[in-house]
Amino acid sequence: MGVLSGKKILLGISAGIAAYKTPILVRLLKSKGAEVKIVITPSAKDFVTPLTLSTLSNNPVYSNFSEQLQDNPVWNDHVALGKWADLFLIAPATTNTISAMVHAKCNNLLIATYLSCTCKVYIAPAMDLDMYAHPANQKNLRELNCIGKKVLPVGEGFLASGLHGKGRMLDPEEIIRHISEDLKADLPLYGKKVLVTAGPTYEPIDPVRFIGNYSSGKMGFALAEEALQLGANVILISGPTTLEASPDINRNNVMTAEQMYKLALEHFSEVDIAIASAAVADFKPREIDLKKIKKEEGIQSIELENTLDILAQLGKLKQKQFLVGFALETENEKTNAFKKIKSKNLDAIVLNSLNDPGAGFSVDSNKVTYIDKNETITPFELKSKILVAKDIFSQILAQNA
Ligand code: CTP
């Protein structure tokens, strides 16, 4: 899920030839999971049809202050439209529209909605090169910038006049990239790197058998997705699982504890937050048979040795990083959790108890208690792992503020 997912976006279209690009813009916004409503100036309808836009947006397209519905005039409430939006994107924004915005010249529904809305406003100018460069237009753009409106750059290239220069509306993909980057900058983990270990590890006995555990990786993947939603750059080191992660997550697949250890240490110095949610196998066979052990050969015992403790090593190397471990205890839960915070030099530990039905391995829900290094204990109700991940990050953000 990207930063535009679930966002209510109001698209304002004014009368420039670049309006022909707006159906693609609507498509892309919808494909990112946004809900789109459109307000169009009456003359922009010469460039793009409301039918195309309403079909692609799945919403009515507004252009007049009122319209006739079953013989009765109905008011298109620009105030409600402005309040509905999480963000208002005006694309293309012509010189005339930009000037009207600056001077509060409320001569159409688009400007009335702009003047009533209190959300973030993005402006994608589109005009011929000399109009764009004209001092009056540049002054207007600066004024919009000064009052906190986000004026996007223009593209350079072939213009409708046949001239070549600066003034093209950005392509829909570029508009979306600019808005996404700007929205991310407001997120609490923007510019931060988060490392998450997830899933089980498999410790081979021979080429077909291994020592492993029931971990599904769901908790770790939920944490990685939540970190992404909060604006972080996410490095996920995952043991074997069938789960999929968002393409924006830097996912690294490993099999064994040793491989996970190597990768975690490689990345640790560059991260701000590390969360060890993997159910790393504690033991591995001392010897790995290179060929499959045949049944007839029999096997009396497997000699085991400890795997490397990734979390403990991260605790030793810790400098500025905020380090969170997980603990799964069956008895003396809190006392053991306190001990683990100290022995592994953690900032916090997430305690999940196998004693709670609906919590633990494989299932979609979990019931955790967050304990910080000052031994402040915050218990949470049983809930989906996605919501548990939100709880954990709200604690990390509160402690790490
Ligand atoms: N962990 C790790 N590397 C290991 C073993 C565990 O990074 N080789 C991490 C887990 O990801 C988890 C935490 O250590 O965050 C808790 O491990 P756990 O197995 O509960 O505790 P241990 O320290 O191994 O001690 P014990 O099994 O005795 O409870």
Side-chain angles (χ1 to χ4, degrees), residues 6 35 58 104 179-180 187 218 222-223 245 253 260 267 281 331 343 394:
E35 191 181 346
N58 275 323
I179 295 176
S180 301
L187 295 172
K218 285 178 181 166
L223 285 162
N253 294 329
M260 190 175 271
H267 286 291
E331 53 189 356
S343 66
S394 72

Side-chain angles (χ1 to χ4, degrees), residues 14 90 93-107 111 114-115 123 127 136-141 143-144:
S14 64
I90 300 167
T94 59
T95 322
N96 186 40
T97 291
I98 288 167
S99 168
M101 288 165 77
V102 172
H103 298 104
K105 203 165 159 241
C106 191
N107 54 1
I111 301 294
Y114 162 72
L115 292 171
I123 300 153
M127 59 205 72
N137 183 56
Q138 287 297 316
K139 182 167 168 276
N140 284 343
L141 291 175
E143 282 193 25
L144 289 172

Side-chain angles (χ1 to χ4, degrees), residues 276 278 280-282 307-311 325-329 340 344:
V280 186
D282 286 320
T307 56
L308 296 165
D309 192 322
I310 305 164
L311 184 60
F326 268 68
L328 200 152
E329 307 286 350
K340 235 168 249 181
K344 296 196 184 188

Side-chain angles (χ1 to χ4, degrees), residues 197-199 201 203 257-258 260-261 264 275-283 306-314 324-330 336 340 343-344 346 348-350 352:
T197 68
T201 65
E203 310 302 327
E258 198 174 326
M260 190 175 271
Y261 180 91
I275 308 177
S277 72
V280 186
D282 286 320
F283 313 104
N306 284 357
T307 56
L308 296 165
D309 192 322
I310 305 164
L311 184 60
Q313 187 58 23
L314 298 184
V324 182
F326 268 68
L328 200 152
E329 307 286 350
T330 47
N336 284 336
K340 235 168 249 181
S343 66
K344 296 196 184 188
L346 308 179
I349 201 155
V350 180
N352 19 194

Side-chain angles (χ1 to χ4, degrees), residues 123-126 132 150-156 166-171 174-175 177-178:
I123 300 153
Y132 179 67
K150 308 277 178 176
V151 178
L152 304 183
V154 289
E156 191 170 344
K166 278 175 89 172
R168 286 167 63 95
M169 184 177 86
L170 290 182
D171 283 336
E174 292 172 298
I175 292 178
R177 190 171 51 76
H178 274 278

